[in-house]
Amino acid sequence: MTRQQLRRLLVQQRRYVTDHKKSHTILTEYVYGRPRIYTSLQTIAKAKPATASKSRVGSPLTSPLSWRWLQPSDKALASSLSTEISTEDDKLQHDRSNPSMIAHAFGSVKQSLREMFLPVGYPESVHGCYKRFHLWLSLETYVGSAVGVLCSQAMLASLGLGAAEAAGGAVAIQWVLKDGIGEFGKLFFIKQFASSFDSHPKTWKFAIGNVFNLVHESIWLASHMTFTKQFAINGNIGDIVAKDDAQMSTAHLLGMLTGVGVISLSHEPLYLFGAFGILTPINMWSTYKMLKTAEFEVLNQAKLTLLSRSFIDHGRAESCSELRPREIGFGEWIRPGAHVSIHLKLGASADQAYDSVGEVQTSTRVFNSENYLLSYRKGTMNVLFHEDAEAEDVVQSVLHAMKFHDTLVHQNINKESNWSAYVAALDDSLAWTKENTPRFLDALAQKGWQKNVVYWNDAGMRVSWEGHPSSQQRQHHQSSTIDT
């Protein structure tokens, strides 16, 4: 850049600063997290005739709207330009490059990569653990792809596919045997365990996801959506999924290239097994670290049980970090010895919970206006949910189950030998729960817990009974329809 060009740029910058002082910021807009401000420069209307002594300000509707990217202060920029002018002669002797243009090009590339790989509005638009989680996820995908190339090479070598003319048919047969049977087995696995993918996504991802490839795909698709919903604090699920796909595609491609590079060095079995032995622990460690960093303020059965225990004992709720010493399995299981002796079954069926018709009738009478039922049978506290039950009903039911169990244990009440005491304990604990549930919900909110959803191993069991407010409303609606 010549001295004349620099002086011209400085004059333009000073003029811009002068004009900007007259402007008024009316809106700040964030484009992929990069802020820009909209300003309005008031215009002066055409002068009145000579007899007029004043000019009038133009209407706001005619004021021009302009915007600029939010940059460092104009004063600092002007100062840097002045310094550059004074030293331009020396710089021209050594370097003809333009640092400002290089910085601009670098910023453009950085902005393009940001738009390609990061959600709009990052980092404000995602959960705080997003960065750490996806760094470990990228490493896991990268190493896993490299390991996959090594495994494929070892498998083909063991089948003796050295001749190019035999490779096509043998690989096709291998795909049918491996992937075809794998797909068939995956269907039975999903049928049996899919209900717990939401409540225990980390456990399934770590325990099974690193062992069976096809089952891993199903588990990852299911559990990753659970993670994505928690990352999307602004509801931007689609954007996060798209950017995750871009990140994983890049990591997968780099991993495959690395794997090809590794096997190009040698095809000896000892070498391949050595590389496999090094990369596999890295892959499993990255999976473990990824799941450990995924700490969301989301209620599952284990966390809600521990939180209910703390509230009953101490009148307060704990934060996600405070619960960690009492949890195992990535926060999805209660650590043995955590002072929780109850065996709780959420979403139980009636035949699991009750022994007789009279017990069901008594329970529906006690819980007539609630959206759940409780029954203690064979050492298990069973919770049955009404078809209208929502997340707050689940929270209340767990708190009630804990309090009811405490009453039975402390008073040594046996349902079979002292039925009246059992029903009285059910009534008393319900009254206590209804009185304290609002305080419990407020305590959860103060610690940042999300109360709009609770995850547990939900098999879809729901009940309804005569006398419930919802059934009465339906009967009233049906009778009104008939009369009409």
Side-chain angles (χ1 to χ4, degrees):
M1 182 178 293
T2 64
R3 178 185 291 271
Q4 292 180 351
Q5 290 174 328
L6 284 172
R7 291 188 182 279
R8 189 180 302 113
L9 181 60
L10 180 59
V11 171
Q12 293 175 352
Q13 177 65 23
R14 288 173 176 168
R15 184 180 299 135
Y16 173 80
V17 172
T18 302
D19 293 340
H20 181 63
K21 290 180 179 178
K22 300 177 183 179
S23 67
H24 175 63
T25 300
I26 60 174
L27 189 67
T28 302
E29 184 177 57
Y30 298 90
V31 181
Y32 288 96
R34 185 182 180 188
R36 64 181 181 184
I37 58 174
Y38 285 84
T39 59
S40 175
L41 295 172
Q42 288 189 336
T43 58
I44 305 299
K46 294 181 179 180
K48 288 183 178 181
T51 55
S53 60
K54 296 182 180 180
S55 61
R56 60 184 179 88
V57 178
S59 169
L61 296 178
T62 62
S63 300
L65 181 67
S66 62
W67 64 266
R68 70 182 182 92
W69 295 111
L70 195 59
Q71 303 288 354
S73 64
D74 299 320
K75 185 182 296 184
L77 181 58
S79 176
S80 65
L81 288 172
S82 299
T83 302
E84 188 174 357
I85 291 175
S86 63
T87 59
E88 180 62 22
D89 290 336
D90 295 334
K91 294 177 64 178
L92 287 174
Q93 297 176 3
H94 302 285
D95 188 6
R96 296 287 182 175
S97 63
N98 186 355
S100 62
M101 293 182 64
I102 295 176
H104 177 73
F106 177 77
S108 299
V109 172
K110 183 179 178 181
Q111 182 67 20
S112 297
L113 293 176
R114 185 186 184 95
E115 295 174 5
M116 182 180 298
F117 293 108
L118 295 177
V120 174
Y122 174 86
E124 289 80 9
S125 63
V126 294
H127 193 275
C129 66
Y130 178 91
K131 179 180 179 179
R132 291 173 293 148
F133 180 92
H134 283 79
L135 286 175
W136 286 112
L137 176 58
S138 298
L139 177 61
E140 181 210 35
T141 304
Y142 169 77
V143 178
S145 298
V147 171
V149 174
L150 296 179
C151 292
S152 298
Q153 170 64 22
M155 180 183 62
L156 294 175
S158 66
L159 293 175
L161 299 181
E165 60 274 10
V171 171
I173 295 174
Q174 181 268 336
W175 185 91
V176 172
L177 292 176
K178 181 177 72 73
D179 288 357
I181 296 175
E183 292 284 353
F184 187 70
K186 182 177 69 175
L187 299 178
F188 290 93
F189 185 89
I190 292 174
K191 177 181 181 297
Q192 184 69 24
F193 300 108
S195 62
S196 61
F197 285 176
D198 280 325
S199 58
H200 300 82
K202 299 179 184 179
T203 302
W204 282 119
K205 164 64 179 171
F206 186 75
I208 303 297
N210 285 307
V211 181
F212 303 106
N213 184 49
L214 289 173
V215 175
H216 166 244
E217 294 178 5
S218 295
I219 292 175
W220 177 242
L221 289 174
S223 60
H224 187 57
M225 286 307 301
T226 302
F227 295 144
T228 302
K229 286 187 291 185
Q230 309 312 322
F231 285 129
I233 59 177
N234 290 342
N236 50 337
I237 294 178
D239 183 40
I240 291 180
V241 170
K243 301 307 169 56
D244 283 1
D245 187 47
Q247 296 170 18
M248 295 310 100
S249 296
T250 303
H252 179 60
L253 177 61
L254 294 176
M256 287 194 301
L257 293 175
T258 301
V260 172
V262 170
I263 64 176
S264 65
L265 298 178
S266 175
H267 296 279
E268 293 296 327
L270 182 61
Y271 170 78
L272 295 177
F273 278 110
F276 179 82
I278 294 174
L279 293 176
T280 299
I282 298 176
N283 180 249
M284 297 189 68
W285 174 250
S286 61
T287 302
Y288 173 80
K289 293 294 292 183
M290 175 189 69
L291 298 177
K292 287 289 289 185
T293 59
E295 294 185 351
F296 305 112
E297 295 75 18
V298 178
L299 296 174
N300 56 31
Q301 181 174 336
K303 293 183 184 296
L304 187 53
T305 302
L306 292 173
L307 290 166
S308 299
R309 180 77 277 157
S310 298
F311 183 79
I312 293 173
D313 293 342
H314 308 292
R316 58 181 292 270
E318 296 172 303
S319 65
C320 190
S321 59
E322 291 173 329
L323 283 185
R324 196 176 303 131
R326 301 162 62 192
E327 298 173 323
I328 58 174
F330 310 106
E332 296 174 351
W333 306 92
I334 299 175
R335 183 182 297 275
H339 306 291
V340 178
S341 58
I342 187 173
H343 180 228
L344 188 62
K345 173 64 177 177
L346 297 182
S349 63
D351 60 348
Q352 293 174 323
Y354 297 108
D355 290 311
S356 65
V357 174
E359 187 177 354
V360 175
Q361 292 174 337
T362 301
S363 184
T364 55
R365 177 186 59 79
V366 172
F367 292 94
N368 181 53
S369 59
E370 306 300 326
N371 284 331
Y372 65 93
L373 303 174
L374 288 185
S375 174
Y376 189 65
R377 182 190 184 197
K378 297 181 179 180
T380 299
M381 184 65 70
N382 298 284
V383 182
L384 292 76
F385 291 113
H386 191 272
E387 57 186 355
D388 293 336
E390 298 179 351
E392 290 193 1
D393 298 307
V394 179
V395 174
Q396 178 177 322
S397 70
V398 174
L399 182 65
H400 187 186
M402 298 289 290
K403 184 64 176 180
F404 181 42
H405 183 263
D406 288 350
T407 303
L408 296 179
V409 172
H410 294 159
Q411 299 182 15
N412 195 23
I413 297 175
N414 186 285
K415 179 173 65 174
E416 287 73 18
S417 60
N418 196 345
W419 172 249
S420 59
Y422 176 88
V423 176
L426 196 61
D427 274 318
D428 293 342
S429 59
L430 176 59
W432 180 92
T433 302
K434 294 179 69 172
E435 180 182 354
N436 288 275
T437 294
R439 291 180 51 239
F440 184 43
L441 292 172
D442 290 341
L444 293 176
Q446 291 175 3
K447 292 296 183 177
W449 293 102
Q450 301 177 27
K451 303 178 296 181
N452 60 330
V453 63
V454 180
Y455 293 104
W456 79 94
N457 189 359
D458 188 3
M461 296 287 184
R462 297 295 185 271
V463 296
S464 62
W465 56 88
E466 293 295 328
H468 190 271
S470 63
S471 64
Q472 294 178 348
Q473 292 174 0
R474 282 193 294 269
Q475 291 176 357
H476 177 72
H477 177 73
Q478 291 175 356
S479 60
S480 300
T481 305
I482 294 175
D483 293 341
T484 303

